[in-house]
Amino acid sequence: MNEDKTMTSITQVAGAQAAAPKKSAISLGYAFNRAGAILTVAGFGWVVPLGRLATGTEPRRQVAELWRQLGIPLAAIVLFLLAWGALAPKVQTSLGAVPGPVEVWAQVDNLIADHRAERAKEAAFNERQAKRNAEAKAEGGEVKTRRFTGKPTYLDQIATSLKTVFMGFVLATLVAVPLGVMCGLSKTVNAALNPLIQIFKPVSPLAWLPIVTMVVSATYVSNDPMFEKAFLNSAITVTLCSLWTTLINTAIGVASIDKDLVNVGRVLNLPMTTTIRKLVLPSALPYIFTGMRLSLGVGWMVLIAAEMLAQNPGLGKFVWDEFQNGSSQSLAKIMVAVLTIGLIGFLLDRVMMALQAMFSHSATR
């Protein structure tokens, strides 16, 4: 009898030990599933099959998925770089041969080095000024503070463009979403605004920019302005060109929500603001975020064109200045700017996708 109990205990212990790794693997698999959506939105979806492969979960399937998500894109990028490097020297321009990946990467290092050198000059200027002001204060003299007036670096131009597109995008969203909600809820408002939307939506930023510049110059007059006029010109141009997509998508999303939700609000005598906040907006969020994603992409493209045309600070001005410079390094720097514009646009789209996944809980990506 004791021997039977001993054998049973040994069997139970062995079974528990065998089940422990299996339970752990299931827990890890569950964790990877939960993190999969977030990682995919962030562009790191390949981490999920890699983690599952490490736990031994369906190795063949995970290898195939890893190749699809990571191997194929990397192979495509490598082929593109090889084709670029092979074909670029064969194309001759007025500035010489088209630079290949190596020459472009060299200019990335040069632009970063220029930025560091300019920041070093700024630090030295501030240090001299602080020392001079300390001596003047000790002697009872006048303390003067001046801003460093060095040239904007490539990274400074990137920061300026990002601030400008953010300002324009926020203004466009604040205008487009309320108008879109009104259009979606009221056929009368939609009938009134739809002709104006269809007329102004196709207008090029090159047409808006002169009008915006003249209006801002005439109305924004201040001895101590909060924003530079060049910044406002670019931001308002971005707003005028990018708000239409958000407006249209918001109107479509609001008009397509379940009518029972609106009827429930009427039965409960909910105020219109409560109905919109609690019923309409949550249902239309996927459409609204889709419109915002498209608007942000349009705004980013519009901004570069506006900066080039008006010579406002930013990446567009950097491209135009290098084109006018005409040095042997200009073409490579322009290509650096082109790649930077594309990468920033990609990252902005990913940010909007992450916000959509966070707030709308939509399965559509």
XYZ file of all heavy atoms in Angstrom, residues 21-22 24-40 44-66 68-69:
337
model
N 6.937 23.664 -17.702
C 7.433 24.341 -18.900
C 6.326 24.634 -19.907
O 6.328 25.677 -20.548
C 8.453 23.353 -19.481
C 8.836 22.479 -18.342
C 7.609 22.370 -17.501
N 5.370 23.677 -20.003
C 4.283 23.880 -20.941
C 3.443 25.085 -20.540
O 3.065 25.916 -21.362
C 3.428 22.616 -21.000
C 2.343 22.677 -22.066
C 1.602 21.365 -22.121
C 0.521 21.408 -23.204
N -0.215 20.141 -23.282
N 4.446 27.604 -18.711
C 5.267 28.795 -18.921
C 5.257 29.213 -20.387
O 5.170 30.403 -20.712
C 6.698 28.532 -18.459
O 7.516 29.635 -18.719
N 5.345 28.234 -21.274
C 5.331 28.540 -22.711
C 3.996 29.145 -23.120
O 3.936 30.079 -23.923
C 5.604 27.262 -23.516
N 2.886 28.627 -22.521
C 1.570 29.180 -22.834
C 1.472 30.622 -22.366
O 0.947 31.495 -23.064
C 0.464 28.313 -22.183
C 0.418 26.934 -22.852
C -0.891 29.001 -22.280
C -0.526 25.964 -22.197
N 2.024 30.900 -21.168
C 1.993 32.262 -20.643
C 2.797 33.212 -21.533
O 2.362 34.330 -21.827
C 2.553 32.292 -19.217
O 1.782 31.465 -18.377
N 3.976 32.748 -21.971
C 4.777 33.586 -22.858
C 4.074 33.824 -24.194
O 4.091 34.940 -24.730
C 6.139 32.934 -23.102
C 7.147 33.017 -21.952
C 8.372 32.176 -22.273
C 7.537 34.465 -21.683
N 3.435 32.761 -24.696
C 2.704 32.916 -25.949
C 1.569 33.914 -25.821
O 1.335 34.728 -26.714
N 0.871 33.875 -24.675
C -0.205 34.826 -24.430
C 0.329 36.249 -24.363
O -0.262 37.188 -24.906
C -0.923 34.461 -23.130
C -2.030 35.407 -22.754
C -3.224 35.443 -23.475
C -1.886 36.281 -21.682
C -4.247 36.319 -23.138
C -2.898 37.158 -21.328
C -4.076 37.166 -22.062
O -5.079 38.035 -21.709
N 1.480 36.403 -23.703
C 2.094 37.737 -23.599
C 2.493 38.251 -24.971
O 2.293 39.439 -25.283
C 3.302 37.682 -22.672
N 3.056 37.382 -25.822
C 3.440 37.799 -27.168
C 2.208 38.186 -27.991
O 2.253 39.127 -28.782
C 4.215 36.690 -27.876
C 5.651 36.582 -27.442
C 6.180 35.386 -27.004
C 6.471 37.696 -27.473
C 7.504 35.293 -26.607
C 7.793 37.614 -27.077
C 8.302 36.414 -26.638
N 1.097 37.466 -27.788
C -0.121 37.799 -28.517
C -0.635 39.183 -28.128
O -1.087 39.954 -28.967
C -1.204 36.746 -28.260
C -0.910 35.429 -28.972
O -0.236 35.427 -29.994
N -1.410 34.331 -28.438
N -0.568 39.480 -26.834
C -1.041 40.784 -26.359
C -0.153 41.914 -26.860
O -0.631 42.992 -27.210
C -1.083 40.811 -24.829
C -2.152 39.917 -24.210
C -2.314 40.203 -22.736
N -2.760 41.579 -22.514
C -2.914 42.121 -21.313
N -2.643 41.406 -20.225
N -3.320 43.356 -21.177
N 1.141 41.640 -26.876
C 2.078 42.684 -27.326
C 2.153 42.790 -28.843
O 2.690 43.768 -29.365
C 3.474 42.398 -26.765
N 1.618 41.782 -29.537
C 1.756 41.749 -30.985
C 1.167 42.960 -31.679
O 1.782 43.525 -32.583
N -0.043 43.381 -31.259
C -0.690 44.521 -31.917
C 0.121 45.792 -31.738
O 0.317 46.561 -32.682
C -2.105 44.697 -31.364
N 0.614 46.015 -30.516
C 1.390 47.231 -30.246
C 2.682 47.213 -31.037
O 3.070 48.214 -31.647
C 1.679 47.346 -28.739
C 0.360 47.432 -27.956
C 2.555 48.552 -28.433
C 0.541 47.409 -26.464
N 3.376 46.072 -31.039
C 4.645 45.979 -31.760
C 4.445 46.134 -33.266
O 5.254 46.756 -33.951
C 5.314 44.637 -31.454
C 5.831 44.463 -30.015
C 6.275 43.024 -29.784
C 6.981 45.410 -29.736
N 3.352 45.586 -33.787
C 3.079 45.703 -35.218
C 2.847 47.151 -35.605
O 3.362 47.632 -36.621
C 1.855 44.854 -35.596
O 2.127 43.479 -35.277
C 1.548 44.973 -37.079
N 7.576 46.944 -35.186
C 8.430 45.892 -34.641
C 7.660 44.576 -34.510
O 7.857 43.816 -33.559
C 8.974 46.307 -33.273
C 9.896 47.486 -33.315
C 9.431 48.755 -33.019
C 11.224 47.342 -33.684
C 10.275 49.857 -33.064
C 12.070 48.432 -33.746
C 11.595 49.688 -33.427
N 6.765 44.322 -35.468
C 5.982 43.099 -35.418
C 6.828 41.843 -35.526
O 6.423 40.771 -35.062
N 8.033 41.963 -36.104
C 8.910 40.804 -36.256
C 9.427 40.296 -34.910
O 9.931 39.170 -34.830
C 10.095 41.158 -37.150
C 10.822 42.397 -36.741
C 10.574 43.663 -37.148
C 11.911 42.487 -35.810
N 11.432 44.552 -36.556
C 12.265 43.853 -35.722
C 12.618 41.566 -35.054
C 13.294 44.296 -34.903
C 13.647 42.012 -34.233
C 13.974 43.352 -34.164
N 9.309 41.102 -33.850
C 9.767 40.656 -32.528
C 8.909 39.500 -32.019
O 9.395 38.619 -31.307
C 9.745 41.834 -31.527
C 10.078 41.362 -30.118
C 10.726 42.908 -31.961
N 7.618 39.507 -32.396
C 6.702 38.474 -31.897
C 7.106 37.080 -32.381
O 7.293 36.171 -31.564
C 5.250 38.810 -32.292
C 4.306 37.707 -31.827
C 4.829 40.145 -31.687
N 7.268 36.828 -33.704
C 7.711 35.490 -34.121
C 9.109 35.148 -33.610
O 9.410 33.986 -33.365
C 7.672 35.557 -35.653
C 7.674 36.994 -35.992
C 6.979 37.683 -34.875
N 9.958 36.169 -33.439
C 11.291 35.909 -32.895
C 11.198 35.409 -31.460
O 11.890 34.466 -31.066
C 12.134 37.185 -32.964
C 13.610 37.042 -32.577
C 14.321 36.112 -33.559
C 14.292 38.403 -32.555
N 10.319 36.034 -30.662
C 10.136 35.579 -29.274
C 9.513 34.208 -29.209
O 9.900 33.379 -28.381
N 8.538 33.953 -30.076
C 7.918 32.624 -30.091
C 8.913 31.554 -30.536
O 8.878 30.424 -30.045
C 6.717 32.639 -31.031
C 5.530 33.437 -30.496
C 4.440 33.548 -31.532
N 3.286 34.273 -31.025
C 2.316 34.740 -31.781
N 2.360 34.559 -33.106
N 1.298 35.395 -31.249
N 9.782 31.935 -31.461
C 10.817 30.993 -31.907
C 11.753 30.649 -30.756
O 12.194 29.499 -30.623
C 11.587 31.592 -33.072
C 12.613 30.701 -33.773
C 11.920 29.502 -34.418
C 13.380 31.489 -34.827
N 12.050 31.637 -29.905
C 12.926 31.389 -28.761
C 12.287 30.448 -27.756
O 12.993 29.715 -27.051
C 13.287 32.708 -28.091
N 10.948 30.462 -27.681
C 10.260 29.568 -26.744
C 9.962 28.198 -27.350
O 9.403 27.335 -26.667
C 8.941 30.203 -26.280
O 8.087 30.407 -27.421
C 9.195 31.527 -25.577
N 10.299 28.026 -28.639
C 10.082 26.733 -29.281
C 8.675 26.500 -29.753
O 8.281 25.355 -29.985
N 7.886 27.558 -29.930
C 6.495 27.429 -30.359
C 6.424 27.410 -31.884
O 6.699 28.420 -32.534
C 5.649 28.597 -29.821
O 5.784 28.654 -28.408
C 4.180 28.422 -30.181
N 6.061 26.262 -32.449
C 5.912 26.097 -33.898
C 7.076 26.730 -34.666
O 6.909 27.735 -35.357
C 4.594 26.727 -34.371
C 3.355 26.102 -33.747
C 2.079 26.749 -34.244
O 1.951 27.980 -34.089
O 1.235 26.016 -34.798
N 8.274 26.174 -34.540
C 9.467 26.804 -35.131
C 9.346 27.076 -36.627
O 9.724 28.160 -37.090
C 10.584 25.795 -34.833
C 10.083 24.997 -33.668
C 8.602 24.925 -33.829
N 8.829 26.128 -37.376
C 8.766 26.310 -38.822
C 7.864 27.486 -39.195
O 8.201 28.306 -40.054
C 8.251 25.026 -39.481
C 8.205 25.082 -41.004
C 7.824 23.747 -41.597
N 8.824 22.732 -41.284
C 8.728 21.461 -41.651
N 7.658 21.055 -42.362
N 9.659 20.590 -41.329
N 6.732 27.573 -38.520
C 5.808 28.662 -38.806
C 6.407 30.016 -38.421
O 6.244 31.006 -39.137
C 4.501 28.436 -38.054
C 3.458 29.517 -38.279
C 2.196 29.203 -37.502
N 1.212 30.263 -37.651
C 0.040 30.266 -37.035
N -0.290 29.253 -36.231
N -0.810 31.259 -37.215
N 7.113 30.066 -37.290
C 7.697 31.329 -36.829
C 8.843 31.772 -37.744
O 9.018 32.964 -37.985
C 8.205 31.184 -35.384
C 7.151 30.745 -34.379
C 5.864 31.535 -34.471
O 5.883 32.739 -34.734
N 4.739 30.853 -34.275
N 9.610 30.819 -38.261
C 10.682 31.168 -39.200
C 10.087 31.775 -40.473
O 10.598 32.781 -40.996
C 11.532 29.924 -39.528
C 12.455 30.207 -40.708
C 12.358 29.514 -38.312
N 8.994 31.182 -40.968
C 8.343 31.718 -42.165
C 7.801 33.126 -41.905
O 7.924 34.022 -42.749
C 7.218 30.781 -42.603
N 7.202 33.328 -40.725
C 6.660 34.642 -40.399
C 7.772 35.669 -40.214
O 7.644 36.834 -40.613
C 5.823 34.535 -39.118
C 5.057 35.794 -38.755
C 3.947 36.111 -39.733
O 3.547 35.211 -40.498
O 3.492 37.272 -39.739
N 8.879 35.237 -39.606
C 10.014 36.134 -39.413
C 10.616 36.545 -40.760
O 10.998 37.714 -40.954
C 11.067 35.447 -38.547
C 12.234 36.310 -38.051
C 11.720 37.435 -37.169
C 13.235 35.451 -37.280
N 8.949 36.729 -43.565
C 7.995 37.614 -44.227
C 8.057 39.031 -43.654
O 8.014 40.013 -44.402
C 6.569 37.066 -44.073
C 5.514 37.874 -44.822
C 4.130 37.311 -44.580
N 3.705 37.535 -43.218
C 3.162 38.671 -42.773
N 2.997 39.695 -43.596
N 2.790 38.798 -41.514
N 8.148 39.148 -42.336
C 8.093 40.464 -41.698
C 9.435 41.182 -41.665
O 9.476 42.413 -41.692
C 7.559 40.338 -40.257
C 6.110 39.919 -40.174
C 5.539 40.158 -38.789
O 5.966 41.031 -38.045
N 4.551 39.351 -38.421
